[in-house]
Amino acid sequence: EEEEEEEEKLPGEQLDGEFIFQDGSTYKGQYLKNGEDVLLHGRGTLCSGPEAFQGTFEKGLYKYGRYTSCNGAVYKGNFRQNLFHGMGEYNWPDGRAYKGIWKDGKMHGRGQFLNFIMGEQISGFCLEGDFKSAPLEQSGARSAFLDVYEAECGASATAAVRDLASRTGARGPPRKFLVPPGEAPAPDEKPAIAVERALVADAVLGPFPEAGEVLQEAVQAFAAGLAEDAEKPLAVTVYRESPQSGLHLDAKRLRLPQLQYVGQAVEVALPPEVARDAEPGSLAAMVLVNVSKEYDIALANWKLVHVERVPPPAE
């Protein structure tokens, strides 16, 4: 019998209030209280001199919101460990702006620069806070970013496929990998399931595989192609924004931009030359999408959104 995943419990009672801290900073908003301990958590505003953060806190740390620095620059977006991380927009006091992906406080990934050169908009890839617009350097930055990004996403998705295969039983794979059925919550449905359905709806359009379409023997035989010593290794493809030929999922189903972790699609499939000789009805491809809202591959929430089988031979 599949184990139910427990919902995380908050370390205290959530309340609303106002505080003045010993350093003179002020806070107004939601917080957690556990005995004498207070932890900023939920919606609130923290001000410390000219610096301010207005948005969502999670267990004492910035999560998402608007940060104003002491020099007047403004950042609006996601945070991790109080650093700019994920999708965000940074506006300098002189009118320049960057909108795109951040990693651990630095511009890293694809983004857009505004008003850097005569009011022009420049799109491209940053690496660890460094951006160069020359075509040759941009090509190198893009390649360097993709090498790391695709390795991270591919490894995470293939680990999910192995986990799915090892835990698939007679009734199909674990629920954590399947999209909740239906378009609306059932009367007795747990709130966590409704949240999962909403996350999927934000990231990808259906239809989605049901448990009966992923049979134990078929998925385990398919996943064997991910072994290091596999005779016929599976092909792993991380979806990009630009068109890619030969993929099994219609990219129009993807609702979020690719190459930013959140909403990322990864395909695991038999190579064409292997699929041609494979047994009809066996699995040919599986496509997973990360529906997590966290810009952190370690916290990916992979859902199986598409499966294909080897078709019978043409008559």
Side-chain angles (χ1 to χ4, degrees):
E1 193 71 24
E2 185 176 343
E3 294 183 3
E4 293 284 346
E5 294 187 9
E6 295 186 4
E7 295 184 26
E8 184 179 6
K9 295 182 179 179
L10 296 177
E13 180 185 6
Q14 188 160 32
L15 302 169
D16 281 275
E18 298 183 32
F19 300 93
I20 300 178
F21 298 103
Q22 290 183 347
D23 62 0
S25 59
T26 62
Y27 178 75
K28 180 179 181 180
Q30 297 175 308
Y31 66 97
L32 293 174
K33 183 172 177 60
N34 188 355
E36 296 299 316
D37 296 329
V38 170
L39 198 61
L40 308 186
H41 187 87
R43 294 286 302 172
T45 301
L46 178 66
C47 298
S48 179
E51 294 187 14
F53 174 81
Q54 182 178 19
T56 301
F57 292 81
E58 186 174 84
K59 297 180 181 177
L61 300 174
Y62 302 158
K63 183 66 175 178
Y64 177 86
R66 176 188 173 94
Y67 170 79
T68 303
S69 70
C70 58
N71 68 359
V74 176
Y75 171 86
K76 184 177 181 181
N78 295 272
F79 292 78
R80 184 174 71 177
Q81 297 296 317
N82 281 355
L83 297 174
F84 308 155
H85 188 89
M87 178 60 69
E89 181 173 348
Y90 189 94
N91 289 269
W92 282 265
D94 61 9
R96 293 176 300 148
Y98 167 79
K99 183 177 182 180
I101 298 296
W102 297 74
K103 181 179 181 180
D104 297 330
K106 297 179 180 179
M107 299 176 291
H108 185 79
R110 188 173 52 198
Q112 297 177 336
F113 290 87
L114 306 175
N115 301 322
F116 274 71
I117 303 175
M118 301 295 291
E120 293 183 10
Q121 175 176 306
I122 304 172
S123 298
F125 285 80
C126 293
L127 288 177
E128 298 291 337
D130 186 31
F131 177 80
K132 292 182 172 62
S133 60
L136 185 59
E137 292 174 314
Q138 257 304 296
S139 178
R142 181 178 186 275
S143 295
F145 173 80
L146 288 176
D147 285 346
V148 176
Y149 178 88
E150 292 185 338
E152 289 180 335
C153 291
S156 178
T158 53
V161 172
R162 291 190 186 96
D163 188 28
L164 182 156
S166 68
R167 296 170 60 189
T168 295
R171 297 183 180 180
R175 286 194 296 272
K176 66 173 287 187
F177 295 109
L178 297 175
V179 176
E183 297 181 359
D188 58 346
E189 186 173 274
K190 293 184 177 181
I193 297 178
V195 171
E196 286 279 291
R197 186 184 291 105
L199 289 173
V200 173
D202 287 343
V204 59
L205 300 172
F208 304 113
E210 298 180 0
E213 298 179 57
V214 188
L215 302 179
Q216 183 179 29
E217 184 177 349
V219 72
Q220 291 177 354
F222 178 78
L226 292 173
E228 291 184 5
D229 59 350
E231 182 180 349
K232 299 177 180 179
L234 297 174
V236 179
T237 305
V238 176
Y239 281 47
R240 302 180 182 181
E241 284 291 273
S242 54
Q244 294 163 276
S245 61
L247 298 181
H248 292 81
L249 179 74
D250 183 356
K252 293 179 181 178
R253 288 178 57 187
L254 300 174
R255 305 191 67 181
L256 296 174
Q258 299 299 282
L259 304 184
Q260 61 179 33
Y261 294 107
V262 172
Q264 181 63 57
V266 177
E267 176 175 304
V268 181
L270 298 176
E273 64 277 10
V274 175
R276 283 194 293 268
D277 299 327
E279 182 181 352
S282 60
L283 283 178
M286 302 174 71
V287 181
L288 293 87
V289 170
N290 176 21
V291 302
S292 171
K293 292 293 186 182
E294 304 290 340
Y295 290 85
D296 185 342
I297 197 63
L299 301 176
N301 180 7
W302 295 103
K303 294 294 184 185
L304 182 62
V305 301
H306 184 74
V307 294
E308 278 191 28
R309 298 185 179 280
V310 176
E315 295 182 1

